[in-house]
Amino acid sequence: MSAMRTEDAADGKSTANGGGVVCQEGGVTVLRPTDLSEMLAAGTKEVHEKAENTEFVKDFLRGRIRKELFKLGHVALYFTYSAMEEEMERNKEHPDLAALYFPHELHRWDALARDLQYFYGEDWQDQISLSPATQRYVERIQQIGRDQPALLVAHAYTRYMGDLSGGQVLRKVAQRAMKLPPTGEGLNFYQFDGIHSAKAFKQLYRSRMNELELDSHTKQKIVEEAVLAFQFNMEIFGELEEVGKSLQGDVLDAAPVHGAHGAHGEMQGDISQCPYYAAKMAASGGSSYICQMAMSMLKNPSGQVILAAWIAALAGLAAWYLM
């Protein structure tokens, strides 16, 4: 089905094309703030920024990855996606979910199972268990699947749209840091074989969300649920950070993304040096900032390598912030 829909109107045209339903009046495109995709983007902006500024995510983006934490993160994702996709499957004919049912294109359960088998071996199912934070997340998904299926839209939006955007950057960082095979073993979660263009699919998905026949109250409940989904993810990040404190000598560096270290050798954090921050600056028109950063990095060989990786990642990240 096409993501494009046009309707004649007395004072102009209304077009659904990716970013949501938009009004075209006098050649000027105006986004409607009542579109669900726009409400979600605005309503989750603050909590989204908090999530990406957790130490776990910032370390990941710097290329400082603990393999054991990466594995445990995949375990959390496995249980989360298993619950979400089970509820989506059970409610696939629900009028508020049927248009967003894309099992071939989106479902991650099987990919995560293959990744866990790679990391843990054939008996991987006997070696994993639900952490307390993941259990709370799973229980919430199961509860709304039973009682308020429309709210599953919030969890699907939060997870899948992120996986198709920034998740592709994380895949490259993880592969480089952990020296995983270029054939993709251990990183199947990030590979969407059923989607040929992530950008086009995200446009279709947002268009489908905006066409759902939802009243304003339900839309607001979905936004609130999306905020809750981000909070559940932050709880899992915090849990992983605590586990990381007990691990010794397990840090794998993808590249010296930041050259500065503290007096005792620890990596100093500066969000202004993070690729996520650079993407936001680019999305908001901060071109001079990006140019200054690029010129500085080009002065040394390692910076040239990093800059090349950032350029490849920047478009996807900027698109995520603009959606």
Side-chain angles (χ1 to χ4, degrees):
M1 182 180 293
S2 172
M4 179 74 72
R5 183 190 68 178
T6 60
E7 297 174 341
D8 293 329
D11 57 350
K13 288 193 300 182
S14 174
T15 305
N17 187 17
V21 179
V22 298
C23 294
Q24 293 181 336
E25 299 177 355
V28 178
T29 299
V30 181
L31 290 171
R32 291 177 178 170
T34 54
D35 290 343
L36 182 56
S37 67
E38 298 305 311
M39 292 178 66
L40 282 165
T44 61
K45 183 177 185 294
E46 181 178 351
V47 71
H48 187 180
E49 292 179 351
K50 287 181 180 179
E52 74 203 15
N53 281 304
T54 59
E55 286 304 311
F56 177 78
V57 174
K58 288 196 292 185
D59 278 347
F60 201 134
L61 287 167
R62 295 185 187 111
R64 291 175 57 81
I65 300 174
R66 294 179 181 272
K67 189 172 184 178
E68 187 60 31
L69 295 188
F70 184 83
K71 291 162 60 177
L72 291 174
H74 256 48
V75 170
L77 290 171
Y78 171 78
F79 284 115
T80 300
Y81 277 92
S82 295
M84 184 173 71
E85 290 167 4
E86 180 179 342
E87 294 303 326
M88 291 289 287
E89 183 69 28
R90 195 161 63 85
N91 290 282
K92 63 184 179 183
E93 296 181 0
H94 191 282
D96 296 337
L97 293 173
L100 300 178
Y101 181 67
F102 292 98
H104 174 67
E105 293 85 354
L106 292 177
H107 281 193
R108 300 288 86 200
W109 175 86
D110 182 64
L112 284 161
R114 283 180 279 138
D115 286 343
L116 292 176
Q117 182 175 348
Y118 173 81
F119 286 120
Y120 289 98
E122 292 293 333
D123 62 342
W124 62 273
Q125 290 178 300
D126 297 327
Q127 299 185 52
I128 65 172
S129 60
L130 270 169
S131 70
T134 306
Q135 184 167 356
R136 289 190 292 272
Y137 196 176
V138 166
E139 288 175 351
R140 175 59 182 176
I141 291 171
Q142 293 171 335
Q143 177 191 346
I144 63 174
R146 292 190 304 269
D147 304 331
Q148 304 175 80
L151 299 190
L152 289 172
V153 173
H155 294 274
Y157 163 86
T158 302
R159 288 298 340 167
Y160 292 130
M161 293 298 99
D163 298 336
L164 286 169
S165 301
Q168 300 309 297
V169 178
L170 301 183
R171 176 182 63 81
K172 295 176 183 177
V173 174
Q175 185 177 41
R176 187 168 64 249
M178 294 187 289
K179 297 179 174 60
L180 295 173
T183 47
E185 285 88 341
L187 297 170
N188 289 291
F189 167 67
Y190 300 108
Q191 185 66 37
F192 289 81
D193 293 329
I195 297 177
H196 300 296
S197 168
K199 179 180 178 181
F201 186 85
K202 286 188 293 182
Q203 289 177 337
L204 170 63
Y205 198 88
R206 288 193 293 267
S207 176
R208 291 285 188 89
M209 283 200 306
N210 291 331
E211 292 173 359
L212 294 175
E213 296 182 1
L214 304 170
D215 58 36
S216 58
H217 174 73
T218 303
K219 288 182 179 179
Q220 187 55 43
K221 294 292 290 183
I222 290 173
V223 172
E224 292 170 2
E225 189 69 22
V227 171
L228 187 61
F230 273 106
Q231 291 171 345
F232 279 126
N233 280 281
M234 284 191 286
E235 288 182 16
I236 292 173
F237 295 156
E239 201 173 57
L240 292 172
E241 288 168 14
E242 288 300 311
V243 172
K245 293 176 182 179
S246 65
L247 301 177
Q248 300 294 327
D250 188 38
V251 178
L252 302 168
D253 286 309
V257 176
H258 307 319
H261 289 76
H264 301 288
E266 70 274 16
M267 185 70 75
Q268 292 181 334
D270 181 357
I271 192 59
S272 68
Q273 296 177 320
C274 172
Y276 270 99
Y277 184 86
K280 286 191 288 185
M281 290 296 290
S284 61
S287 58
S288 61
Y289 170 84
I290 301 299
C291 290
Q292 292 170 9
M293 179 182 290
M295 292 302 295
S296 175
M297 295 177 69
L298 283 171
K299 292 179 181 179
N300 63 81
S302 61
Q304 294 168 11
V305 176
I306 298 163
L307 181 61
W310 279 19
I311 290 172
L314 193 57
L317 286 170
W320 168 242
Y321 281 97
L322 286 168
M323 70 172 229

